[in-house]
């Protein structure tokens, strides 16, 4: 694949072959990001929000529409750096739709009396006069929109990166804006900043592992392109210790992003500290992007070393499921609980990944989509439940909520049941798909562990319902704020998908199985 | 001399960077340690490029530098923000989020 | 023979009282005024029907006297079938007559006896229910249906014993009766099951026709299980403890259920299953033994009780012991078991109703030590009671003489030892009955101050009179006019063996022994003043007053261990089984509490675990590969 | 052909939605609507049942099948055999009764939403019908699990003081079983894919599937575990007393009376025909569990001071009988088990509803020690209580006797001693039932109860049908037996079991 | 330059040694600024090693970008956050240091072992050929950048924009009022109810200089001004240990 041919100095520069049609969604997003930055730079403050929303939604929708026109494309392009294949397109689509929902949440400004979910000025000191003034003047940090767009473009690129180096760049494009966004909450800013710091430092730490792993793999295969690595692995089966260690370190970086134990500890802190809208967006999309990359690396690059990584992934999956589920039990903060839940869910998805079969890939994809919609919906609900200090995330403040607001309580209960994997919700079909794939691949005991973990996880999902519906409301000021159309749409979409994928999953199941495999 | 020595050097630097991340409390030093780890990766890339006889490794190192530069900017901005609201650059101090 | 003519109405025998029961129990207070009369009418209706059937049956030759009627298939599955079907043969016929006629009399009597009870409607409902169930018991053509009647009478008995359930003792007695009966029912259930696995059917005809093909062991098992059932229902040792407590029920109940009919169901069961017992020597022997033991237990208890009803109850136990005993003797005894059952049904009903009449006059006081000298004040009662007294002692020509004499005779046909025991039992009967008469009707008045004894109303005395007539003549009627032996023979078979002594000698010896018993009783209670407070008495008296420690044994052997086991299991359930469940939840919770501590909030410690994870992954991969 | 089963399931579902949509201010309307819907469903059930052909050779009738998730070979398939039919009938019979009986169970002042309660009941009815009608294993599982949710809400939202604990315990316990069943079910699917090349969840295709004995045993365990928890068999029962004592009487009736039957239904419908060899292998274990359960439940019931807990333990004892009948592999035993399921549904309903009426008159106390002498003050109530008690102790002449005796007979036929020992259970049953009656209904009136009212018309109307059915079916069980027996025969044929024949056979014996 | 010659060997051991020394200095320096300077040393030596590995372009970039720009940025920020904020080397997390070192050494051993196993008898291909194709190292890299790595190259622009944007958002302090003149400021300070001088820093009696520890006024009472608003609002203020204050006071002679 190396394009450096044995030629003389006079070799003319041959243009790289790029299938712009196939990567147009990525380009649209990147372009929109640039436009968005220009909007920040050039337009007066008052008009920015409207224009930014226009750009963001326009870009997302345009990218989606474009994506729909290229569903049949299966191509490796940009000199082997990008693979647009079925799973990539599917995950790109899912990321885009979920990003759309995330954008809706982030655009919401009728929940907080003083503005949207982000600090009026992230640079102002928490509790300072500056902050008060900016808030009182209704400043909005519209810079979040270009950051958001870059993050989305990073994700979309991440799932289709066929070259480890590009994957690294995409990882950073995805992560850096998220580090920033995590630190910009309007309320509880100290927590938010702490989240950003932890996320950033640990994220940087993990990407150091990733790139070092890439270096070692490069040392082994003389290339960073996954198919090349795969063919080198088959070509020289011995002497693979470099590739082995490199793969391990790459996995550290990716497992960090999917929040697998023992690389999970950033998750609760970041999920809790970040603005809820960002948490919802991040929880849904990063999980998809990271799993997409993880599966591509494992299946395309290191498929030949399956027997090396499967036992290790077994242990990680088991730990992830159990630790996530068990710790979540004793959480009293609902965002934190959902964070641990996301860890446990990552474990369940890993079960599908480990199956290393078409069914496993399809199952994991389905699970990711299902999980994404449910979790973003759940965070949307959390953003609605507020008291005078902002969101009331402590579980005790949710007592009796379902009785006072049956609709919101009911929808949240639906999300909880979905995450718990109760039939007729998307979560059940997701679990079913990955378990089926795992059993078909002979990982029966893994499934049994997963079953036990599901039960433990069931406990804390169910406990939320207990608090909302079975507990007498105390004398407190928690109330459900009526959101604007933004959050309402996101919420409705999350609930609808959770239900529809539970009751009539066939179209999506077809989609994920027709997506086929990663191309090499 | 075995050219692998470069790689071994890079491994040692990588590990030292990791130690730095784990034992230092000043966020900036921690971050510098991360940079050290990235540099170790770069050294490995460069040495491997020579061993493998293609320039991809050097390009990779180049990208790592760019990424690191961007990361530094973002990281330092975050650290400055934290410092401003807490008047401390220790990464142990922001410890409100736990358990 | 299929049911035709009047026999097509066999179902109506049961349906009539059942209808009465349904109306009375479901109708509520609306039926308060006329309900009791409906109850009486339905039973009388059944009695009339029964008599018509008897007449019809007598019109048939002996071998055609068994009539069957199948209503529908009741319980069925592949390989199993039990019909809702009736069989009226000579044996059932006599039972139907006894039940309906004595039942009618007791119903009539009850109109007076219960006239002041607010719940008398319910009382009549229960009585009707009893009659229906009892008729079902004797009319069923298979064991499973018999079982329905069997438990049905148990239920009625339970309801009636506990009729005054506001008294805790009555409620407890009712429960006790039911539970002890259930033990017997286990026997019946198991017997039915053994029959099914052996014969593939539970109908009388199939079982009896194939009984000869079964092994003796199987038949012995069936026989013993049936005996267990009989013990429960007929208050035989060791399941006798409930009968004395059952006297908590209203007196007509004691007369009808706990003297005349229900308690004799055990005898019916054994006699009905004669085909089994004839081939199971050991089982039959056990029947004889149980009967004998109970004869003496009942008699001893009856001799020591001061409560007139309990004394009579002891007597009932003893007399049923005679019947069971006779039934155990085989073909030589079946007929006489039934014969004694019939005469006993009549005279014991009379005695109980007489006792009820006395109680009615004595403000429901049952303590005979507070009676005395009532013969002048309750003349009808006294006279009728004396008829029953003479009948039960077996004084010729009263009814009991004929039947008991035949049993003793049959016992001697088997062996002189058991014959002698039977005679001794008769002697004790003489003693306790005389004691009862003496304490109640003779001697000095020992009434409490506010008691004004008086004769009962006609509605009560008329049944007494009728029963007294029965007590006097029934024995002769059945034996000489009814030809009970030939009547029953087609069903139960009949044979007789030579006895070591001539029947006249036996008769004489029996009479002498009875009179000696009566004399002792008179000397003790008739010719001496009876102390109002019972003297402490000898050990046997004390034991007899405590029902020969039957309750104590049950308490120690069954009840207390059961409750201890129940408590222990409850503890086990909550601390171990549920403890395990909650414990695993607590364990996970505890693990959660500890694990969440690892989330210390320090970014560096997170980084440490990441590094640890990385090292482990690398190590695992490298070591696995290198090894 | 009319899609009877779908109609049957959809009617209450629509009703449930309608009830939810009613304004909160019209609680009575919600009740009336719920009652009407449930009566319509009952009527439809009767109409359907009359068209059921007991003599048909088809394994299922009223069959419908549409692809649902073809990706996994899952279809929406319904159909009933006799067993499913009688259990559906049981469910649709009890629902209107529960609605009537629970007319005043919930009111706005007690903190619950009235319409919510009745909507949940109707939703449950849909799911219950579905679960008994499903002929696709996946669909069965889905309904089996989903049905937990309405029950969870009914316990947790409308129950007594311990409701949260009980609801969560119930849900998690059931989920545990369900999840193991899920794993097994997936395993079954994988096996079917390996054997036939095309994975399927269709019940009839799975019956008679050749599989590896070891795998069969494992898969059996997954299914059985779920059913044993649901039924519940000893020692997986401890959720039941808590759930029962925390529930409203109506909830308890539907939970124990109908829903728990899914466990035993599942055993006879799924465990036996799909895993015949494994069933045979594990039968001794199951029989042991059942036997322990019979006595264990009865003895613990003997020591309870809480009526609802007592009923729960008594149910556990009864479930022991039902499981016993199923796993002895005799026609009589299995027929008996099905009859027993119906009988137990009726007797549970009678017990819980009567006890519920009683408790309403005593500040919702269910402690036996708080009662006494009720018979004097409320003879009708006491009468029904007595009837319920008798039905529970399987008095001959009541349908529970038919079931119990057949179970015992079937057991005895196969295992002499097991049958003999199990028969002893009837004594203890009598002991605890009558002890309960004695302590609550007899003796002097408890001071707290002075002035208590007897049952009113609505309450009698609720109890009457149960009593009537119990009695009528006790003397004339043919309507049930006629439809059950062919289904049971089919099960017996499928598992290849034959009844032991009587030791003596001659022309005169048998039928 | 395919094989390793003696000159290179000397360079390797010298520069490599210095690089490790710099890394150790980073870890061991008490003061942050010293750490930064040690890192700079490492990076310069790495640049040397790059050059030795036929990567002259990268060597230059390393010096310019890393040592010149990145490290200067670090130093800059260090100045902002306080040069003198020397880091206590006392470990507060139990066992952290020991475990960290053990794990890192373990990682190093594993890496070295793995690399050793994977790279026995490797003969470097050398870059002479590759560098020669396009006429030099820079041209070679350029060709790759604009062909194989075109997308990555373009996408890094997004990274840089993000970085700039992030720095702006978090660090740029916007004004909501026109800048006040010095006169206005001093007037405001004295006229207003505010605090004319510096806010109190942790005082004589302070045992702790953490942000949540209030400064103590001469009478031993805490100064409300010394605590950041958010902490006060959250109630996250460390209480004053009066017992300790008295203890210190008594040590100081007990005079009031």
């Amino acid at each position: 694949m190396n394009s450096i041919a044995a030629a003389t100095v006079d070799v003319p520069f041959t243009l790289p072959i790029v299938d712009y049609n196939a990567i147009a969604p990525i380009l649209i997003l990147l372009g929109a990001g640039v436009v968005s930055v220009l909007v920040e730079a050039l337009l007066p403050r008052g008009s920015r929000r409207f224009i930014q929303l226009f750009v963001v939604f326009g870009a997302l929708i345009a990218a989606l529409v474009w994506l729909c026109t290229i569903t049949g494309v299966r191509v490796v392009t940009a000199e082997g750096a990008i693979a647009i294949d079925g799973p990539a397109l599917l995950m790109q689509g899912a990321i885009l739709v979920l990003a759309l929902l995330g954008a809706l949440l982030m655009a919401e400004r009728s929940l907080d009396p003083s503005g949207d979910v982000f600090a009026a000025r992230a640079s102002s000191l928490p509790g300072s006069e500056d902050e008060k003034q900016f808030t009182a003047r209704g400043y909005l940090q519209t810079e979040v929109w270009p950051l958001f767009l870059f993050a989305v473009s990073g994700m979309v690129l991440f799932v289709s990166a066929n070259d480890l180096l590009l994957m690294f760049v995409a990882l950073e494009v995805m992560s850096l804006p998220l580090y920033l966004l995590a630190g910009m909450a309007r309320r509880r800013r100290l927590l938010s900043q702490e989240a950003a710091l932890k996320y950033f430092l640990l994220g940087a730490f993990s990407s150091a592992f990733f790139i070092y792993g890439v270096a070692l793999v490069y040392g082994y295969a003389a290339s960073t392109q996954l198919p090349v690595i795969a063919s080198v692995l088959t070509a020289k089966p011995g002497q693979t210790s470099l590739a082995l260690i490199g793969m391990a370190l790459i996995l550290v970086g990716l497992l960090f992003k999917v929040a697998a134990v023992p690389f999970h500890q950033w998750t609760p802190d970041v999920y809790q500290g970040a603005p809820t809208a960002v948490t919802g967006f991040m929880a849904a999309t990063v999980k998809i992007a990271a799993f997409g990359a993880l599966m591509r690396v494992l299946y395309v690059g290191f498929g030949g070393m399956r027997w090396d990584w499967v036992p290790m992934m077994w242990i990680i999956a088991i730990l992830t499921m159990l630790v996530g589920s068990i710790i979540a039990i004793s959480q009293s903060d609902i965002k934190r609980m959902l964070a641990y839940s996301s860890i446990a869910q990552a474990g369940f998805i890993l079960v599908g990944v480990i199956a290393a079969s078409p069914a496993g890939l399809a199952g994991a994809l389905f699970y990711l989509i299902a999980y994404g919609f449910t979790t973003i919906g759940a965070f949307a609900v959390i953003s609605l439940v507020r008291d005078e200090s902002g969101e009331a995330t402590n579980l005790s403040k949710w007592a009796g909520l379902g009785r006072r607001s049956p609709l919101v309580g009911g929808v949240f209960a639906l999300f909880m049941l979905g995450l718990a994997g109760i039939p007729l919700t998307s979560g059940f079909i997701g679990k079913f798909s990955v378990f089926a794939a795992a059993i078909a691949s002979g990982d029966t005991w893994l499934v049994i562990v997963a079953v036990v973990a599901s039960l433990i996880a069931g406990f804390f999902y169910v406990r939320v319902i207990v608090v909302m519906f079975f507990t007498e409301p105390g004398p407190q000021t928690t109330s459900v704020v009526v959101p604007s159309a933004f959050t309402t749409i996101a919420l409705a979409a999350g609930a609808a998908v959770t239900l529809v994928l539970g009751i009539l999953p066939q179209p999506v199941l077809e989609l994920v199985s027709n997506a086929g495999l990663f191309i090499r | 001399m075995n050219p692998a020595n470069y790689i071994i050097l890079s491994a040692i630097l990588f590990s030292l960077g990791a130690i730095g991340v784990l034992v230092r409390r000043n966020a900036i030093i921690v971050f510098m340690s991360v940079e050290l780890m990235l540099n170790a990766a770069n050294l490995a890339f460069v040495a491997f490029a020579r061993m493998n006889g293609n320039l991809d490794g050097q390009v990779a190192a180049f990208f790592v530098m760019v990424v690191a530069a961007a990361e530094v900017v973002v990281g330092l901005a975050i650290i400055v923000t934290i410092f401003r609201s807490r008047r401390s650059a220790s990464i142990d101090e922001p410890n409100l989020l736990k358990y | 023979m299929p049911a035709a003519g009047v026999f097509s109405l066999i179902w109506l025998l049961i349906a009539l009282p059942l209808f009465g029961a349904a109306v009375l129990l479901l109708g509520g207070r609306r039926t308060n005024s006329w309900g009791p009369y409906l109850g009486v009418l339905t039973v009388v209706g059944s009695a009339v029907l029964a008599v018509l059937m008897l007449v019809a049956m007598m019109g048939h030759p002996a071998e055609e006297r068994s009539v069957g009627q199948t209503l529908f298939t009741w319980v069925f599955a592949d390989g199993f079938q039990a019909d809702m079907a009736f069989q009226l043969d000579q044996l059932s016929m006599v039972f139907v007559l006894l039940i309906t006629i004595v039942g009618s009399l007791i119903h009539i009597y009850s109109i007076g006896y219960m006239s002041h009870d607010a719940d008398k409607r319910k009382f009549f409902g229960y009585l009707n229910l009893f009659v229906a169930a009892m008729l079902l018991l004797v009319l069923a053509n298979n064991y499973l249906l018999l079982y329905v009647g069997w438990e049905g009478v148990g239920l009625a008995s339970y309801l009636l014993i506990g009729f005054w359930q506001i008294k805790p003792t009555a409620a407890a007695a009712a429960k006790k009766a039911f539970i002890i009966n259930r033990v017997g029912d286990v026997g019946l259930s198991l017997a039915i099951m053994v029959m099914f696995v052996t014969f593939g059917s539970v109908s009388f005809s199939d079982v009896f026709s194939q009984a000869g093909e079964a092994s003796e062991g199987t038949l012995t098992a069936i026989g013993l299980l049936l005996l267990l059932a009989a013990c429960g229902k007929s208050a035989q040792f060791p399941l006798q403890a409930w009968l004395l407590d059952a006297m908590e029920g209203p007196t007509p109940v004691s007369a009808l259920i706990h003297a005349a009919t229900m308690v004799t169901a055990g005898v019916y069961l054994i006699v009905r299953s004669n085909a089994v017992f004839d081939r199971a020597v050991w089982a039959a022997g056990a029947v004889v033994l149980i009967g004998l033991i109970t004869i003496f237990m009942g008699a001893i208890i009856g001799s020591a009780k001061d409560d007139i009803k309990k004394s009579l109850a002891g007597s009932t136990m003893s007399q049923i012991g005679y019947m069971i005993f006779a039934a155990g003797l085989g073909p030589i005894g079946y007929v006489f078991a039934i014969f004694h059952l019939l005469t006993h049904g009549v005279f014991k009903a009379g005695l109980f109703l007489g006792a009820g009449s006395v109680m009615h006059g004595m403000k429901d006081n049952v303590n005979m030590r507070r009676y005395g000298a009532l013969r002048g004040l309750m003349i009808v009662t006294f006279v009728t009671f004396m008829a029953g007294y003479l009948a039960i002692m077996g004084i010729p020509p009263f009814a009991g003489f004929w039947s008991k004499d035949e049993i003793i005779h049959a016992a001697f046909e088997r062996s002189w030892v058991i014959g002698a025991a039977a005679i001794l039992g008769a002697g004790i009967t003489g003693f306790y009955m005389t004691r009862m008469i003496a304490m109640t009707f003779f001697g000095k008045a020992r009434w409490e101050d506010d008691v004004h004894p008086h004769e009962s109303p006609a509605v009560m005395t008329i049944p007494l009179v009728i029963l007294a007539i029965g007590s006097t003549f029934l024995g002769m009627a059945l034996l000489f006019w009814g030809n009970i032996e030939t009547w029953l023979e087609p069903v139960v078979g009949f044979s007789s063996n030579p006895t070591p002594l001539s029947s006249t000698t036996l008769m004489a010896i029996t009479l002498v022994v009875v009179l000696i018993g009566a004399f002792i009783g008179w000397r003790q209670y008739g010719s001496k003043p009876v102390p109002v407070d019972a003297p402490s008495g000898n050990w046997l008296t004390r034991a007899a007053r405590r029902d020969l420690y039957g309750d104590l044994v049950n308490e120690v052997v069954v009840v207390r261990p059961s409750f201890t086991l129940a408590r222990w299991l409850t503890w086990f359930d909550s601390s171990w089984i549920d403890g395990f469940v909650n414990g695993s939840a607590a364990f996970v919770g505890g693990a959660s509490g500890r694990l969440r501590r690892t989330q210390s909030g320090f970014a560096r410690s997170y980084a440490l675990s990441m590094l640890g994870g990385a090292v482990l992954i690398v190590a695992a991969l490298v070591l696995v590969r290198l090894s | 052909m009319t899609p009877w089963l779908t109609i049957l399931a959809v009617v209450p579902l629509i009703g449930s939605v309608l009830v939810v949509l009613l304004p909160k201010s019209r609680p009575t309307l919600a009740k009336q609507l719920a009652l009407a819907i449930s009566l319509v469903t009952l009527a439809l059930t009767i109409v359907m049942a009359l068209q059921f052909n007991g003599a048909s050779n088809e394994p299922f009738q009223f069959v419908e099948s549409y692809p649902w998730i073809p990706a996994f070979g899952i279809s929406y398939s319904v159909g009933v055999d006799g067993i499913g039919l009688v259990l559906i009938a049981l469910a649709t019979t009890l629902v209107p009764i529960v609605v009537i009986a629970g007319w005043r169970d919930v009111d706005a002042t007690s903190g619950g939403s009235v319409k919510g309660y009745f909507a949940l009941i109707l939703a449950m009815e849909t799911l219950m019908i579905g679960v008994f009608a499903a002929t696709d294993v996946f669909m069965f599982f889905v309904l089996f699990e989903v049905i937990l949710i309405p029950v969870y809400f009914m316990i947790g939202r409308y129950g007594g003081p311990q409701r949260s604990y009980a609801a969560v315990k119930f849900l998690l316990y059931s989920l545990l079983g369900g999840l193991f069943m899920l794993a097994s079910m997936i395993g079954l699917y994988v096996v079917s894919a390996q054997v036939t090349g095309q994975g399927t969840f269709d019940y009839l295709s799975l019956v008679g599937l050749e599989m590896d004995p070891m795998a069969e045993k494992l898969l059996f365990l997954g299914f059985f575990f779920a059913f044993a928890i649901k039924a519940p068999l000893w020692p997986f029962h401890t959720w039941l007393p808590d759930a029962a004592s925390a529930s409203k009487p109506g909830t308890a009736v539907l939970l124990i009376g109908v829903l728990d039957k899914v466990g035993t239904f599942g055993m006879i419908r799924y465990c036996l025909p799909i895993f015949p060899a494994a069933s045979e292998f594990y039968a001794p274990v199951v029989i042991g569990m059942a036997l322990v359960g019979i006595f264990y439940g009865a003895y613990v019931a003997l020591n309870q001071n809480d009526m609802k807990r007592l009923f729960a333990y008594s149910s556990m004892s009864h479930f022991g009988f039902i499981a016993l009948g199923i796993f002895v592999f005799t026609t009589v035993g299995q027929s008996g088990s099905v009859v027993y399921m119906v009988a137990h549904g009726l007797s549970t309903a009678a017990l819980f509803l009567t006890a519920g009426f009683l408790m309403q008159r005593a500040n919702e106390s269910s402690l036996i020690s708080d009662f006494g002498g009720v018979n004097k003050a409320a003879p009708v109530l006491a009468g029904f209580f007595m009837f319920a008690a008798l039905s529970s102790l399987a008095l001959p002449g009541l349908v529970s006797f038919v079931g119990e005796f057949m179970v015992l007979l079937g057991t005895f036929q196969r295992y002499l001693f097991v049958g003999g020992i199990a028969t002893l259970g009837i004594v203890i049953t009598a002991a605890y039932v009558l002890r309960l009656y004695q302590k609550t209904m007899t003796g002097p009136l408890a001071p707290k109860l002075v002035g208590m009212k007897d049952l009113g018309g609505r309450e009698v109307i609720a109890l009457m049908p149960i009593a009537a059915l119990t009695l009528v079916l006790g003397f004339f069980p043919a309507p049930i037996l006629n439809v059950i027996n062919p289904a049971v025969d089919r099960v017996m044929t499928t598992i290849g079991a034959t009844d032991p024949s009587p030791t003596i056979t001659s022309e005169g014996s048998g039928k | 330059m395919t094989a390793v010659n003696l000159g290179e060997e000397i360079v390797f051991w010298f520069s490599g040694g210095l690089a490790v020394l710099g890394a150790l200095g980073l870890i061991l320096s008490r003061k942050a600024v010293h750490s930064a300077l040690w890192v700079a040393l490492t990076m310069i030596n790495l640049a040397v090693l790059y050059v030795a590995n036929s990567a002259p372009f990268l060597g230059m970039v390393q010096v310019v970008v890393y040592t010149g720009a990145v490290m200067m940025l670090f130093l800059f920020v260090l100045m902002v956050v306080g040069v003198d904020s020397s880091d206590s080397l006392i470990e507060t997390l139990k066992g952290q240091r020991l475990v960290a070192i053990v794990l890192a050494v373990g990682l190093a051993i594993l890496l070295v072992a793995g690399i050793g196993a994977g790279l026995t008898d490797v003969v470097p291909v050398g870059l002479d050929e590759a560098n020669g194709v396009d006429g030099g190292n820079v041209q070679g890299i350029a060709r790759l950048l604009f062909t194989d790595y075109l997308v990555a190259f373009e996408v890094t622009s997004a990274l840089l924009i993000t970085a700039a944007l992030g720095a702006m958002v978090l660090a740029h302090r916007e004004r909501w009022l026109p800048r006040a003149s010095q006169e206005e400021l001093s007037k405001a300070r004295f006229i207003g109810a505010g605090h004319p001088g510096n806010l109190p820093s942790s005082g004589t009696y302070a045992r702790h200089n953490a942000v949540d520890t209030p400064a103590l006024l001469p009478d031993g009472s805490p100064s409300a001004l010394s605590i950041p608003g958010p902490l006060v609002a959250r109630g996250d203020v460390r209480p004053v240990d009066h017992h300790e204050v008295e203890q210190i006071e008594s040590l100081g002679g007990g005079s009031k």
Side-chain angles (χ1 to χ4, degrees), chain C residues 74 165 175 198 206 573 578, chain D residues 169 237 296 313 375 443 504:
Chain C
W74 175 37
Q165 40 180 250
K175 183 184 73 171
T198 313
D206 290 336
D573 196 56
D578 207 27
Chain D
K169 192 171 181 178
H237 62 278
Y296 187 96
Y313 280 108
N375 184 40
I504 297 167

Side-chain angles (χ1 to χ4, degrees), chain A residues 234-293:
Chain A
T234 42
K236 34 178 204 175
Q239 298 272 315
T240 51
S241 64
L242 270 186
L244 213 55
I245 297 174
M247 179 188 75
L249 296 180
I250 291 172
L251 287 182
V252 171
L254 293 173
L255 290 174
F256 173 86
K257 286 289 167 199
V258 307
V261 176
F263 314 105
H264 65 288
Q265 287 178 305
W266 61 277
T267 322
D269 293 3
V270 173
Y271 277 28
Q272 188 186 355
T276 304
V278 173
T279 310
F281 162 63
M282 190 161 80
T285 53
V286 173
K287 196 78 87 190
I288 298 182
F291 265 106

Side-chain angles (χ1 to χ4, degrees), chain D residues 412-423:
Chain D
F412 194 83
Q413 212 180 344
R414 179 83 63 189
Y415 306 103
L416 209 71
F417 285 101
V418 175
I421 293 168
T423 309

Side-chain angles (χ1 to χ4, degrees), chain C residues 236-255:
Chain C
Q236 298 297 295
F237 175 82
L239 300 179
Q240 81 290 351
W242 64 273
L243 185 62
L244 292 152
D245 290 4
M247 296 301 128
E248 291 284 349
T251 309
V253 172
S254 311

Side-chain angles (χ1 to χ4, degrees), chain D residues 133-177:
Chain D
T135 55
D136 181 280
V137 181
F138 183 90
M139 182 179 159
F140 170 79
F141 175 79
V142 164
L143 297 166
F144 180 81
E145 288 280 274
V146 169
I147 207 164
L148 302 178
I149 303 302
V151 181
Y152 174 64
F153 274 91
M154 284 172 79
I155 298 174
R157 182 127 192 227
Y158 301 96
Q162 285 281 305
R163 59 208 164 107
S164 295
Y165 170 75
V168 171
K169 192 171 181 178
F170 159 76
L171 188 66
L172 288 184
Y173 223 133
S174 308
L175 268 185
L176 176 68

